Amino acid sequence: MALLYPRPSLEQLPRFPLSIESVQTLTCAADFRRTLLSLIGAARRRIYLTALYLQDDDAGHEVMAALQTAKQATPALDIRVLVDWHRAQRGLIGAAKQAGNAGWYRACSAGADGAIPVYGVPVQTRELFGVLHLKGFVLDDTVLYSGASLNDVYLHRHDRYRHDRYHLLHCPRLADAMVDLLRTQLLDSSAVHRLDEPQCPTTRQLRRDIRVLRKQLAACRYDDTHAVTPYHGLAVTPLIGIGRNNPLNRHLLDLLSSAREKVIICTPYFNFPKPVMREINRLILRGIDVEIIVGDKTANDFFIPPHESFKAIGALPYLYEVNLRRFAKVHRKALMRQQLKLHLWQDNGNSYHLKGIWVDDRYHLITGNNLNPRAFSLDLENALLIHDPKGEMAAQKQLELDTIHRHTRPILQHRELETVRQYPDRVRKLLTRLSRVRIDRLLYRIL
């Protein structure tokens, strides 16, 4: 049965006007780190950082130190850091049990440099069934938006980096709307607590409050009181959603179906939810040019090199490649005539985390949404839809795409991708076993 959703057309969405001078596209993680630290140092009214996590590593320490310095210089500065409740209270996948980043937050607040409030947001009673995946840093009237979290690899603090997308938008109305949602929907919730304070309730104690919060989030929207519509110039619409058939999902599908000439999609994990895959198939049938840029399996953040100790989580990049090969085989004719283009990103052991959609020269969707089943049904996600009816973003768009393509290779036919038989023994045996009992389908939905 086809997914039914209302279609207030994209042209009818309320939006905040922009000037081309107020939008800047950054093209690398190192620039992202420098820009974030510079904006923190320059802030005078407010700093709201929202990410999946702020990591206890060199880059995380650098960000925390910058926040503490900013607070000391301007005591009235309103600083709030929001991270996922569950992710903050565990170690890395495969590591021994530990206090996680929350232990470091508490140590920072107890130190001489003063407390920076770090709030844990639980959007579900278990991390497996939903996390805070909102993105966007608000610094005074500027929004720095990226799908990145805050750690060494996302901020390119040392040798390795994880490539994402990074955009600066100076727009007071947008900044106000994003802060208002954080304050009214999250910070005011009885389910949200500071992780930097010594006494913190357990998840079990918060179960009822978490259920109430999730129900409220399903109905929340960004405040568009000061937005305008119709508006026929460069503008931005913030979108938010959680759970199945939410407004963000519906507008994302509407965005794909609106294409007249070309669609470009970036995703780190080739595992589209059924409604997205259905729209992509329709685009190809309609003769629309479709380009999909995805990370090579070795550029996946779950990839484990064959010479290292194998863990089951390391099979995920191979599962995604199985999906990609199957898709390429189904659409081999479109690949041959270059209506469909597939690009694999790979850069010397660095990883790929790009998400987003470009439609014609009219729309640019920047988001932390992985465009996978988990994002479409479990996590709290958001996005910024940039309306560009006059093509004012064309130069920035091309610069960003050129930077991405610098490390990609085209896939011209499905046979260029490895088969399960060619995978390392441990991977091949695990995937064969999972496929027999169809557990792989469950994994696709939750990872």
Side-chain angles (χ1 to χ4, degrees), residues 156-202:
H156 200 172
R157 185 62 176 78
H158 297 297
D159 293 335
R160 294 177 59 248
Y161 70 89
R162 182 165 296 150
H163 193 36
D164 213 296
R165 302 181 66 203
Y166 323 97
H167 292 83
L168 266 175
L169 296 91
H170 183 77
C171 180
R173 298 297 193 191
L174 174 65
D176 288 346
M178 295 181 76
V179 167
D180 177 73
L181 184 136
L182 296 178
R183 293 181 66 89
T184 60
Q185 301 297 326
L186 298 181
L187 295 174
D188 286 348
S189 169
S190 57
V192 176
H193 291 265
R194 286 180 62 169
L195 292 166
D196 63 297
E197 295 183 338
Q199 299 301 321
C200 211
T202 65

Side-chain angles (χ1 to χ4, degrees), residues 357-396:
I357 300 174
W358 293 265
V359 172
D360 302 328
D361 287 320
R362 297 180 298 142
Y363 297 110
H364 315 268
L365 186 80
I366 55 179
T367 183
N369 190 309
N370 287 312
L371 306 179
N372 62 1
R374 181 183 179 94
F376 256 54
S377 59
L378 301 178
D379 298 337
L380 178 62
E381 304 277 359
N382 70 347
L384 300 181
L385 177 62
I386 296 180
H387 308 256
D388 187 19
K390 300 176 183 177
E392 296 175 75
M393 290 281 293
Q396 292 192 43

Side-chain angles (χ1 to χ4, degrees), residues 7 9-12 15 232 253-264 279 282-290 339 357-363 387-391 397:
R7 284 181 179 263
S9 87
L10 298 174
E11 297 300 324
Q12 296 174 316
R15 63 202 70 182
H232 303 295
L253 296 173
D254 200 29
L255 178 63
L256 290 173
S257 68
S258 74
R260 300 169 184 167
E261 297 177 0
K262 183 173 183 177
V263 170
I264 303 173
E279 289 296 342
R282 288 171 177 166
L283 289 170
I284 295 172
L285 286 174
R286 285 170 48 205
I288 305 297
D289 288 342
V290 175
Q339 180 200 347
I357 300 174
W358 293 265
V359 172
D360 302 328
D361 287 320
R362 297 180 298 142
Y363 297 110
H387 308 256
D388 187 19
K390 300 176 183 177
K397 169 189 172 182

Side-chain angles (χ1 to χ4, degrees), residues 183-360:
R183 293 181 66 89
T184 60
Q185 301 297 326
L186 298 181
L187 295 174
D188 286 348
S189 169
S190 57
V192 176
H193 291 265
R194 286 180 62 169
L195 292 166
D196 63 297
E197 295 183 338
Q199 299 301 321
C200 211
T202 65
T203 301
R204 181 179 293 274
Q205 292 171 325
L206 295 175
R207 291 179 69 88
R208 181 181 175 279
D209 292 328
I210 293 171
R211 285 194 290 268
V212 171
L213 173 61
R214 189 172 181 91
K215 185 176 181 179
Q216 292 173 342
L217 289 174
C220 82
R221 305 289 183 269
Y222 285 105
D223 182 10
D224 59 8
T225 303
H226 299 289
V228 295
T229 189
Y231 182 79
H232 303 295
L234 189 66
V236 59
T237 298
L239 302 168
I240 188 169
I242 189 171
R244 291 191 180 95
N245 201 33
N246 67 62
L248 173 57
N249 291 353
R250 296 197 299 268
H251 290 309
L252 194 152
L253 296 173
D254 200 29
L255 178 63
L256 290 173
S257 68
S258 74
R260 300 169 184 167
E261 297 177 0
K262 183 173 183 177
V263 170
I264 303 173
I265 301 173
C266 286
T267 178
Y269 316 119
F270 194 86
N271 183 24
F272 293 122
K274 289 181 179 179
V276 172
M277 184 60 79
R278 188 160 48 239
E279 289 296 342
I280 292 173
N281 291 337
R282 288 171 177 166
L283 289 170
I284 295 172
L285 286 174
R286 285 170 48 205
I288 305 297
D289 288 342
V290 175
E291 178 178 336
I292 300 175
I293 308 171
V294 65
D296 182 85
K297 62 177 177 290
T298 61
N300 190 288
D301 43 349
F302 293 112
F303 180 75
I304 301 173
H307 62 273
E308 294 184 11
S309 178
F310 179 76
K311 301 180 181 67
I313 196 72
L316 275 177
Y318 297 90
L319 276 171
Y320 299 139
E321 187 175 64
V322 168
N323 259 0
L324 181 61
R325 192 178 194 276
R326 186 182 299 126
F327 175 80
K329 186 175 182 180
V330 169
H331 293 293
R332 55 189 177 276
K333 292 182 180 179
L335 270 175
M336 289 177 62
R337 62 177 179 265
Q338 288 290 282
Q339 180 200 347
L340 172 64
K341 295 181 180 179
L342 300 178
H343 291 269
L344 283 187
W345 189 97
Q346 186 180 36
D347 182 26
N348 296 323
N350 295 298
S351 49
Y352 175 93
H353 200 244
L354 277 73
K355 312 96 182 284
I357 300 174
W358 293 265
V359 172
D360 302 328

Side-chain angles (χ1 to χ4, degrees), residues 23-67:
V23 184
Q24 181 182 358
T25 302
L26 308 177
T27 57
C28 70
D31 283 350
F32 171 52
R33 184 183 82 249
R34 287 189 288 265
T35 300
L36 173 61
L37 294 174
S38 175
L39 288 171
I40 290 174
R44 294 295 177 265
R45 286 193 301 117
R46 61 187 177 190
I47 299 175
Y48 280 67
L49 306 185
T50 308
L52 180 61
Y53 56 84
L54 170 62
Q55 188 72 28
D56 178 11
D57 61 13
D58 289 343
H61 293 183
E62 192 172 28
V63 171
M64 182 64 79
L67 293 173

